[in-house]
Amino acid sequence: MLHTVNKSPWQAPSLEACLAHLGDERLLLIEDGVYAALAASDAAARLDDPARDGRIYALGPDLEARGIGTDQLAAGVEVVDYAGFVQLVAAHGPHQAWL
Amino acid sequence: MSEEMDLEQGGDMKRFMFVNRKAPHGSIYALEALEVVLIAAAFDQDVSLAFLDDGVFQLRQGQNAKALDMKNFAPTFRALDDYDIEKLYVERESLDERGLSEDELIVPVEVVDRARMSALMTEQDVVMSF
């Protein structure tokens, strides 16, 4: 299964709820959800375990819009573009959006 | 003090604070707030901006909303000085939670702690929230 979170972790408990249900599945951070991947923030630690397994992704255009460079991302977070988003859905669907 | 100020300025100047609490590209709030700020400045009001919670992300350097085919409005913050808007307050606790430092911001600001931010809010005639 592919999960997406589109809210900042300080704005809504969506990330927390998603991670509580993530299990061994994959999470793609999109829109304001990408702020959770900022290595220096107090949110990034929550992604440690799944990121180590290569199961956390962040959408590149949303990072770029927000001025987040790949060097500022938490370790293990993989950046994908829109085509990569589609590939994730195709490979790991169904998709659940945590709004 | 406020009465004196009113007399000096013909009594038509009010202290407006625009409170920005939302991240910039996930919703239209940040852009709309900026539009309203510029309007208030055009009416020669005493305008200040407060950035707290996710609102501090509006001031991050290096933003490029064109990546989303949206208007890249972050550079507009640099133009506020031309409209005599010089009071930009940023809450320290909000920066810290998000791992942001003052030197990563797009414009010079006054970083204040939560207690000072609270006091600034109570000094206003009008507080508008975005």
Side-chain angles (χ1 to χ4, degrees):
Chain A
M1 183 164 213
L2 178 70
H3 299 265
T4 55
V5 169
N6 74 335
K7 302 284 193 307
S8 119
W10 302 279
Q11 171 197 3
S14 307
L15 176 69
E16 219 175 309
C18 173
L19 289 174
H21 297 83
L22 188 64
D24 294 328
E25 304 299 327
R26 288 154 202 272
L27 165 60
L28 170 63
L29 300 167
I30 61 171
E31 301 170 20
D32 286 343
V34 300
Y35 286 120
L38 275 172
S41 79
D42 62 12
R46 291 183 233 174
L47 301 175
D48 277 353
D49 288 342
R52 196 176 303 124
D53 301 343
R55 293 186 287 116
I56 302 289
Y57 307 85
L59 193 59
D62 284 326
L63 293 170
E64 191 186 339
R66 291 162 180 78
I68 302 173
T70 50
D71 57 329
Q72 296 172 305
L73 291 179
V77 175
E78 188 179 327
V79 179
V80 298
D81 58 12
Y82 290 120
F85 188 168
V86 174
Q87 282 165 10
L88 282 172
V89 175
H92 304 290
H95 163 228
Q96 177 166 359
W98 296 80
L99 300 176
Chain B
M1 152 96 186
S2 75
E3 251 177 50
E4 250 172 55
M5 230 172 103
D6 283 351
L7 286 174
E8 269 174 23
Q9 287 144 356
D12 55 357
M13 183 182 272
K14 290 192 171 176
R15 284 159 298 192
F16 283 79
M17 173 175 269
F18 295 88
V19 177
N20 296 281
R21 293 187 48 253
K22 294 209 168 31
H25 307 295
S27 71
I28 199 71
Y29 283 94
L31 175 56
E32 291 291 311
L34 201 46
E35 303 274 2
V36 179
V37 163
L38 294 175
I39 292 166
F43 283 92
D44 289 331
Q45 299 300 304
D46 178 351
V47 173
S48 60
L49 277 72
F51 297 87
L52 56 154
D53 300 331
D54 280 347
V56 298
F57 284 134
Q58 295 179 27
L59 299 178
R60 278 191 104 231
Q61 283 173 8
Q63 296 178 65
N64 180 18
K66 293 212 170 92
L68 305 175
D69 288 330
M70 305 279 279
K71 181 180 175 184
N72 191 39
F73 62 90
T76 306
F77 287 111
R78 292 206 197 99
L80 291 177
D81 192 46
D82 299 334
Y83 293 85
D84 293 326
I85 299 174
E86 290 156 354
K87 286 178 278 194
L88 276 65
Y89 303 108
V90 175
E91 190 174 274
R92 181 182 311 284
E93 289 85 343
S94 300
L95 288 175
D96 291 347
E97 287 164 2
R98 290 158 185 79
L100 266 177
S101 61
E102 187 177 352
D103 58 16
E104 288 177 276
L105 304 182
I106 198 168
V107 282
V109 300
E110 184 177 344
V111 177
V112 298
D113 65 16
R114 198 160 269 163
R116 175 77 183 124
M117 184 64 89
S118 166
L120 285 164
M121 289 170 174
T122 65
E123 290 169 13
Q124 306 300 316
D125 293 309
V126 181
V127 176
M128 301 195 78
S129 288
F130 291 88

